[in-house]
Amino acid sequence: MAKIIGGVGTSHVPSIGVALDKGLRDTADWKPFFDGYEAGKAWMRDAKPDIAVVIFNDHGNTFFLDKVPTFAVGMAESYQPIDEGWGPRAIPPFAGAVDLSWHFVDKLVESHFDPLVCREIEVDHGLQVPMELFFGRPDAWPVRILPIWVNTIQYPIPTPQRCWDMGTVLRQAIESWPGDERVVIMGTGGLSHQLQGARAGFINQQADRAWLEGIAANPEPYRNMSRQDYVEQFGSEGAELIMWLVMRAAMNQDVNLVHKHYHAPASMTGAGMIVVENAA
Ligand code: DHB
Ligand code: FE
């Protein structure tokens, strides 16, 4: 049985990657943000995962509005980082945990999920940025990845409960996998932000801070909230937070919140992270 060694929730703002590309890490604007991730990075170094399951959304870079899968799973040997317009990124491609991906998709279908299965696909900042935040800029990533895409950009997005259910299947898949890999689960997106419409620029720091504590200690209310509740509390793009529920559902009911960081604004978003471990 593979082992879930922890769960991570994190923002995935594109300008974080651009700040790193431009050497802005230690500028006055960015240093407090990046410094807050150092504890998470050290945790990851010590935890030594073999595989990272990364739950994220594409932002019109891989899928466009003509074709939007509600859930997609990567099955590729390798995933190239997409250039989103700021130029090619100086980060290596991501090797795929193809065997575990197949096992997971099999379990999903058995559980009446119908994912899009992707054997050739690139990954945008939704995956790139969390990987950089927790693994730095290595010559080669120390983990293989199992990417899961969730539609959070075009109505209708999946319900929070559906994301939770997918997390329970993810846990079953990992626990029924005959390998002995150490697996970290990374839910990405958020925190509160709205990039469009009448509330463009909306950030809700109070809701963000409550989320970082609540998603660890008592996720039930967040699982029961409607999609409209997410948009109201966190903004239309802040509804990306539903992807953390996939991670949280794969963990024990009781977890220890071992690291937490919040910074606002980063770009136009409340930004932050948590690291949780299963309680004994
Ligand atoms: C921004 C983009 C994102 O995908 C996100 O999750 C947060 C912020 C942005 O462009 O500011
Ligand atoms: Fe996003």
Side-chain angles (χ1 to χ4, degrees):
M1 157 172 141
K3 184 177 166 59
I4 297 173
I5 57 162
V8 165
T10 181
S11 301
H12 62 215
V13 189
S15 52
I16 297 168
V18 178
L20 291 171
D21 288 348
K22 293 188 169 173
L24 303 178
R25 190 216 174 281
D26 291 321
T27 58
D29 280 347
W30 281 108
K31 192 175 182 327
F33 170 81
F34 285 111
D35 281 354
Y37 272 82
E38 288 303 321
K41 229 164 138 179
W43 178 88
M44 194 66 90
R45 206 158 42 232
D46 294 342
K48 294 191 177 46
D50 303 299
I51 294 174
V53 177
V54 185
I55 305 111
F56 69 111
N57 65 293
D58 178 63
H59 302 75
N61 294 303
T62 296
F63 307 114
F64 198 58
L65 300 183
D66 57 339
K67 299 179 192 70
V68 182
T70 303
F71 293 110
V73 180
M75 297 287 181
E77 294 285 344
S78 178
Y79 303 88
Q80 288 295 330
I82 294 181
D83 170 1
E84 294 181 39
W86 289 282
R89 314 273 335 274
I91 59 174
F94 303 89
V98 184
D99 42 7
L100 185 61
S101 280
W102 277 109
H103 180 66
F104 174 50
V105 163
D106 206 27
K107 289 283 173 231
L108 279 178
V109 173
E110 240 173 61
S111 308
H112 311 294
F113 275 88
D114 311 297
L116 178 71
V117 173
C118 305
R119 304 197 64 176
E120 191 179 322
I121 188 165
E122 298 177 316
V123 290
D124 79 356
H125 68 267
L127 183 139
Q128 294 175 27
V129 165
M131 291 293 286
E132 293 177 80
L133 285 171
F134 280 88
F135 294 99
R137 285 273 177 111
D139 292 333
W141 301 104
V143 288
R144 294 183 296 143
I145 64 163
L146 192 175
I148 303 172
W149 286 260
V150 178
N151 167 35
T152 59
I153 68 165
Q154 166 144 295
Y155 184 87
I157 66 175
T159 61
Q161 178 65 48
R162 190 69 172 151
C163 292
W164 184 273
D165 291 345
M166 177 174 266
T168 64
V169 179
L170 176 61
R171 178 179 184 143
Q172 287 164 23
I174 294 168
E175 293 188 342
S176 62
W177 178 243
D180 60 359
E181 292 92 342
R182 297 167 63 77
V183 181
V184 66
I185 304 177
M186 304 173 72
T188 82
L191 281 56
S192 63
H193 63 296
Q194 175 145 342
L195 305 177
Q196 54 171 329
R199 289 201 306 168
F202 172 83
I203 291 180
N204 186 345
Q205 293 203 28
Q206 198 184 349
D208 285 346
R209 291 179 192 281
W211 168 269
L212 293 173
E213 291 286 337
I215 193 66
N218 181 21
E220 188 83 9
Y222 292 119
R223 162 159 53 133
N224 292 329
M225 273 166 56
S226 70
R227 293 168 292 175
Q228 288 80 356
D229 292 335
Y230 272 83
V231 172
E232 253 170 55
Q233 274 201 33
F234 298 107
S236 52
E237 281 73 37
E240 288 178 343
L241 282 172
I242 62 172
M243 294 182 289
W244 292 36
L245 293 170
V246 181
M247 173 279 288
R248 185 63 185 84
M251 303 295 294
N252 286 358
Q253 184 173 337
D254 293 328
V255 296
N256 297 320
L257 177 56
V258 293
H259 295 293
K260 182 183 77 163
H261 173 54
Y262 184 68
H263 182 85
S267 181
M268 282 172 71
T269 183
M273 67 90 167
I274 58 168
V275 176
V276 294
E277 293 175 351
N278 282 334

